[in-house]
Amino acid sequence: MSISDLFASADDQLDVHERLRLYIEGVRERADRAVPWGPDTVGIPRQSCDSGLLRINDVAFYANARHEISAFAGLCLNLLSLHRPRDGGGISSAPAPAAQRCRCCMLRWPCPTIREMAELLG
């Protein structure tokens, strides 16, 4: 399931924040369960040139990708734990609920951090 599938979901009970959190937790779980990558476990794509330096860079990328993806997912989850909605406070005579604000930056919800994450991961 991709993040775009989550955003297209008809389930109105999950907001953008919760869908992002579920997606990123899934990425982290898959990365943590993955077998470490190496030249003997994953085929390294053929290069247009036979530069040894490019091959070393590929091996380093594959060798570190599992850990780096897991760390990236952890960072995203930490950002989501900081940037989450809260009641904006105030009294409103309108029938609509009061505007929500971000708990971290106090900007109108969804804040720029969550909007950017949703756009980049979508």
Side-chain angles (χ1 to χ4, degrees), residues 52-90:
L53 182 58
L54 288 177
R55 301 301 281 174
I56 291 170
N57 286 340
D58 286 346
V59 171
F61 170 77
Y62 287 123
N64 294 312
R66 179 178 174 261
H67 171 73
E68 290 171 353
I69 290 295
S70 185
F72 173 73
L75 168 69
C76 289
L77 290 171
N78 288 342
L79 283 171
L80 285 172
S81 71
L82 291 172
H83 293 270
R84 56 183 190 218
R86 67 170 256 180
D87 184 359

Side-chain angles (χ1 to χ4, degrees):
M1 177 182 288
S2 71
I3 195 159
S4 56
D5 294 335
L6 289 170
F7 284 111
S9 172
D11 187 2
D12 292 333
Q13 295 177 356
L14 298 178
D15 62 3
V16 173
H17 186 270
E18 184 66 9
R19 288 183 291 226
L20 277 171
R21 186 187 63 76
L22 290 172
Y23 174 75
I24 294 165
E25 282 180 348
V27 169
R28 183 172 63 177
E29 287 171 12
R30 288 187 298 278
D32 288 343
R33 284 192 315 251
V35 174
W37 295 346
D40 55 337
T41 60
V42 175
I44 298 175
R46 299 291 301 159
Q47 296 290 334
S48 58
C49 65
D50 287 331
S51 167
L53 182 58
L54 288 177
R55 301 301 281 174
I56 291 170
N57 286 340
D58 286 346
V59 171
F61 170 77
Y62 287 123
N64 294 312
R66 179 178 174 261
H67 171 73
E68 290 171 353
I69 290 295
S70 185
F72 173 73
L75 168 69
C76 289
L77 290 171
N78 288 342
L79 283 171
L80 285 172
S81 71
L82 291 172
H83 293 270
R84 56 183 190 218
R86 67 170 256 180
D87 184 359
I91 299 173
S92 173
S93 61
Q100 290 185 319
R101 298 207 170 270
C102 175
R103 288 183 186 270
C104 181
C105 59
M106 293 305 294
L107 296 173
R108 192 173 199 97
W109 186 257
C111 69
T113 300
I114 296 299
R115 283 196 310 264
E116 185 72 16
M117 287 177 73
E119 183 178 318
L120 291 174
L121 297 174

